[in-house]
Amino acid sequence: VNGEKVTAVNGNYTVENVTSDLTITVEAEKTEPSYTVDFRDNTSGGRLGLEENFKTKFFITSDQDVSFKTFVAKFHYDPAAVTYAMAWPNAFGAKTDDKTGTLTLTAGNGNYTANKETTFEVFFESCALGDTTITLTSAVVDGKEVLSEPIAVTRTVGYKVAWAEDAAYTVTGEKYVDVKGTYTFTVAANDGYDASNAVVKVNGTEVTAVDGKYTVAKVTSDLTITVEGVTEAAKQSGLS
């Protein structure tokens, strides 16, 4: 009132001892926008194959109709499992450190609208079989950190291979196989056991060894290896 701030009590503003005309002005108080960040696996289809892209997407929304000019995102990854491929929009500047597994993406001189959920996509190329994790560790909007805690997404590259360990025999093979790849393994009886009548199955279907090796071609699912019929070897009496 007349340039002085007044405070409402129970919803009413009061000016006492009025000695002049009153001019009331109303100005909206500016509050800092609050941002919400989400990070997701955006890869379509089933299992990821070697040299295929692990696609991720992160989202930024605000509680206000607001735009921002700059954005910096940091990610952690296992450089033995994936390598950075690209980001979209392509206005991002990318800096990678494969020793520490750190990716920094910087977008500047833009006009990104957060109230309509701005999205960014980041692609990593898989280079090893197994579970791989990408973690969004920081998200800075116009110089302000808006990520409350790291967000991790995990995807399996290839198919898993499992078998039960047993005192009677040893299965030798890798724990993963590439999508539509060929998987080879061996089964050998341990000391004191006989595998001459062994039955080896993969996902319930019997397989036959060729030159001592079992092979599964064009793998399209996880594999479970089972072995039956390995028995204790007959003990020799020592009599001639």
Side-chain angles (χ1 to χ4, degrees):
V1 177
N2 291 354
E4 296 293 328
K5 182 178 180 180
V6 292
T7 303
V9 177
N10 296 327
N12 296 317
Y13 296 89
T14 302
V15 181
E16 298 179 341
N17 301 320
V18 177
T19 58
S20 66
D21 294 336
L22 302 180
T23 300
I24 300 172
T25 57
V26 180
E27 298 177 358
E29 289 188 354
K30 293 183 178 180
T31 58
E32 290 293 322
S34 175
Y35 293 96
T36 301
V37 180
D38 194 11
F39 182 51
R40 306 173 192 171
D41 179 354
N42 197 45
T43 309
S44 60
R47 292 292 175 84
L48 199 64
L50 281 173
E51 300 182 355
E52 291 184 346
N53 280 336
F54 182 179
K55 301 175 183 178
T56 65
K57 178 181 284 189
F58 54 94
F59 305 76
I60 307 172
T61 57
S62 175
D63 60 349
Q64 301 179 27
D65 290 341
V66 63
S67 62
F68 54 92
K69 298 294 183 182
T70 62
F71 180 76
V72 180
K74 292 186 178 181
F75 303 83
H76 179 72
Y77 61 94
D78 180 358
V82 295
T83 58
Y84 169 68
M86 63 170 287
W88 184 91
N90 56 15
F92 275 113
K95 181 179 179 181
T96 58
D97 184 342
D98 283 338
K99 290 184 179 180
T100 61
T102 302
L103 166 67
T104 302
L105 295 178
T106 304
N109 301 320
N111 187 20
Y112 306 103
T113 304
N115 63 301
K116 294 183 180 179
E117 191 175 72
T118 299
T119 61
F120 303 90
E121 294 181 277
V122 188
F123 301 82
F124 297 85
E125 183 178 313
S126 61
C127 54
L129 297 172
D131 292 339
T132 185
T133 300
I134 310 295
T135 304
L136 176 64
T137 59
S138 175
V140 178
V141 172
D142 288 340
K144 179 184 177 181
E145 178 63 62
V146 297
L147 183 67
S148 58
E149 60 183 5
I151 304 174
V153 294
T154 300
R155 177 164 276 267
T156 301
V157 180
Y159 292 109
K160 297 180 180 181
V161 184
W163 60 82
E165 301 295 336
D166 195 284
Y169 58 84
T170 298
V171 177
T172 303
E174 300 294 331
K175 288 295 186 177
Y176 291 90
V177 56
D178 197 9
V179 174
K180 296 183 180 180
T182 297
Y183 184 73
T184 301
F185 65 99
T186 61
V187 177
N190 293 333
D191 289 344
Y193 291 88
D194 178 13
S196 59
N197 294 316
V199 176
V200 178
K201 296 180 181 180
V202 176
N203 292 353
T205 300
E206 185 174 351
V207 291
T208 303
V210 176
D211 296 329
K213 296 180 179 180
Y214 298 89
T215 300
V216 182
K218 298 181 179 180
V219 178
T220 57
S221 67
D222 291 337
L223 304 180
T224 299
I225 299 169
T226 56
V227 181
E228 303 169 355
V230 179
T231 58
E232 289 191 48
K235 296 181 179 179
Q236 295 182 355
S237 65
L239 298 177
S240 56

